[in-house]
C-alpha cells in the first residue's frame, strides 16, 4: 500500500498513471500486460484502497474512487479504516468531517491517530473546528496532547485555512 501511495509523487509521469489505472482495473488485459505483479495481493482491500486514494488525489473529480473508499468506512480491519480516514482527509470534502470525528472517538489507537491526521490533512475550517472541539474533549489525556501537536503543525496562525470547501 505504501508503494502505491508513493506513486503519487510521480503523478506527473504518464507511466505512473498507466500502472495505477491497470491496478485499478484489475482486468485480464492488465494481468497480461503486468504479469510480474502479484495480482492476488493487489485485489485485496488494503491495496485497492491505496490505489483508489492515489487515483482520487490525481483525479478528484472521478467519484468511483471516493465511492470505493467510502464503502470501506465500517471495515473491521483497522488498517483499512486507517487508510479510509487518510484518504478522506486528503480528499478534503467537509462531508467527511463527522465520520473522521467518529473515528477519533474510537478505541483503536492506530485508527484514532490516522483520523486526527486526516482532519489535519483536510486543511479546511470545518476540520480545524472539529479538531478544536476534540482537543477540548480530550484535553487532559494523550489524545488531547496529540491533537494539540497536530493543530500546531496543520493549522498554524500564519497559515491560511481553505474556506472554499466550508459550507
Amino acid at each position: 500500500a505504501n508503494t502505491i501511495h508513493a506513486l503519487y509523487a510521480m503523478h506527473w509521469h504518464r507511466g505512473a498513471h498507466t500502472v495505477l489505472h491497470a491496478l485499478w482495473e484489475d482486468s485480464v488485459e492488465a494481468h497480461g500486460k503486468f504479469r510480474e505483479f502479484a495480482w492476488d495481493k493487489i485485489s485485496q482491500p488494503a491495496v485497492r484502497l491505496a490505489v483508489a486514494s492515489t487515483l482520487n488525489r490525481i483525479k478528484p473529480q472521478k467519484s468511483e474512487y471516493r465511492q470505493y473508499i467510502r464503502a470501506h468506512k465500517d471495515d473491521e480491519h483497522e488498517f483499512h479504516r486507517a487508510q479510509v480516514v487518510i484518504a478522506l482527509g486528503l480528499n478534503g470534502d467537509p462531508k467527511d468531517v463527522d465520520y473522521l470525528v467518529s473515528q477519533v472517538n474510537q478505541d483503536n489507537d492506530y485508527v484514532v491517530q490516522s483520523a486526527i491526521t486526516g482532519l489535519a490533512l483536510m486543511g479546511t475550517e470545518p476540520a480545524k473546528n472539529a479538531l478544536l472541539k476534540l482537543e477540548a474533549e480530550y484535553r487532559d489525556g494523550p489524545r488531547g496532547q496529540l491533537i494539540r501537536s497536530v493543530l500546531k503543525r496543520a493549522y498554524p496562525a500564519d497559515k491560511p485555512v481553505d474556506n472554499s470547501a466550508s459550507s
Side-chain angles (χ1 to χ4, degrees):
N2 288 336
T3 301
I4 301 302
H5 284 293
L7 286 172
Y8 179 75
M10 299 186 327
H11 71 276
W12 50 268
H13 191 281
R14 189 173 22 172
H17 285 238
T18 300
V19 170
L20 286 165
H21 286 288
L23 294 171
W24 180 252
E25 291 168 7
D26 195 8
S27 65
V28 172
E29 181 184 337
H31 287 233
K33 189 173 182 178
F34 298 101
R35 281 187 220 103
E36 66 279 5
F37 286 5
W39 288 101
D40 59 322
K41 303 287 187 234
I42 291 167
S43 64
Q44 295 177 4
V47 177
R48 299 263 318 146
L49 282 164
V51 172
S53 176
T54 302
L55 284 168
N56 188 57
R57 290 173 69 194
I58 295 169
K59 294 184 176 186
Q61 68 279 8
K62 200 158 183 190
S63 66
E64 74 179 291
Y65 309 129
R66 277 188 313 282
Q67 289 171 355
Y68 184 83
I69 293 163
R70 287 182 174 137
H72 289 271
K73 286 167 64 170
D74 297 321
D75 270 10
E76 289 186 27
H77 198 292
E78 67 185 27
F79 185 70
H80 299 172
R81 284 194 328 278
Q83 285 209 96
V84 166
V85 296
I86 293 295
L88 294 176
L90 288 167
N91 190 46
D93 189 336
K95 288 188 265 185
D96 296 315
V97 169
D98 289 341
Y99 170 73
L100 294 176
V101 168
S102 76
Q103 296 305 295
V104 172
N105 292 320
Q106 296 293 314
D107 292 331
N108 184 294
D109 289 341
Y110 182 54
V111 175
V112 168
Q113 291 171 357
S114 298
I116 292 168
T117 301
L119 287 165
L121 291 170
M122 225 175 234
T124 64
E125 197 66 37
K128 177 183 176 182
N129 291 337
L131 280 171
L132 289 168
K133 282 184 183 178
L134 288 162
E135 190 281 327
E137 182 178 342
Y138 292 105
R139 178 165 290 143
D140 296 330
R143 203 172 300 199
Q145 185 176 355
L146 175 61
I147 294 168
R148 279 189 298 282
S149 174
V150 167
L151 273 165
K152 285 179 191 174
R153 287 184 175 87
Y155 299 102
D158 61 338
K159 179 182 174 190
V161 176
D162 181 5
N163 289 316
S164 65
S166 59
S167 47

